[in-house]
Amino acid sequence: TCLVGSEMCIRDRLSGLFFILLILPDASDIGMIYAFNILAKISYAPAVPLLWTMLADTADYSEWTTGRRATGLFFSASTFAQKGGWGIGGALAGWLLASFGYVEQSAAQSGEAITGIRLMISVFPGILYMSCAVFLVFYRLDATPCLRMQEELEDRRAGRAADGSRGGRSIGARE
């Protein structure tokens, strides 16, 4: 099922806004901290399954335009990129904490370290969530081309199943 990227854009902006707002409450204002955090997560939560659906749509688009099915490659590359991103993200968090003067195993932290931690849980992720909306401008698969694409792919697959061929081209085949 193809999705409209504008829904993801709205969710990314809302989630980013709520994360950025987490910088405002004082540490003692637990109610506001919870409220902004819950709103950020609620606005972001639907994006997780939508992301995987959009990836499947992109794999179908590739098959539709090239004649070769590479769904496994799309999903494995995405999983690989996620794992690499998690590794880089963990290292980046450590580097940022060090740059803000965080002292590990210390009960008291400097004002600069506290400010850095607050930025790392609010403004920085908020900006990243909002930046996702910018990239979605380039996602052009909406309902109209997706319906056509799905119909043509079903017809192609039905035709290949009827004649017993596996479909697609072999690697290195020329048209």
Side-chain angles (χ1 to χ4, degrees), residues 21-107:
L21 290 175
L22 277 170
I23 196 78
L24 298 178
D26 186 67
S28 63
D29 195 358
I30 301 299
M32 287 293 284
I33 293 170
Y34 271 107
F36 287 141
N37 198 18
I38 289 168
L39 289 170
K41 299 302 191 318
I42 287 173
S43 61
Y44 174 72
V48 176
L50 292 178
L51 170 69
W52 292 104
T53 303
M54 291 170 72
L55 187 59
D57 292 340
T58 304
D60 284 347
Y61 179 78
S62 174
E63 179 185 358
W64 185 50
T65 57
T66 67
R68 295 187 63 199
R69 189 170 183 143
T71 307
L73 180 62
F74 276 80
F75 281 91
S76 62
S78 177
T79 301
F80 179 78
Q82 279 183 323
K83 290 176 188 257
W86 291 332
I88 292 168
L92 184 61
W95 295 328
L96 283 171
L97 284 170
S99 74
F100 288 122
Y102 176 80
V103 180
E104 64 181 273
Q105 299 184 13
S106 174

Side-chain angles (χ1 to χ4, degrees), residues 153-163:
L153 285 174
E154 286 172 10
D155 290 345
R156 283 186 206 169
R157 291 172 187 155
R160 285 190 292 237
D163 70 12

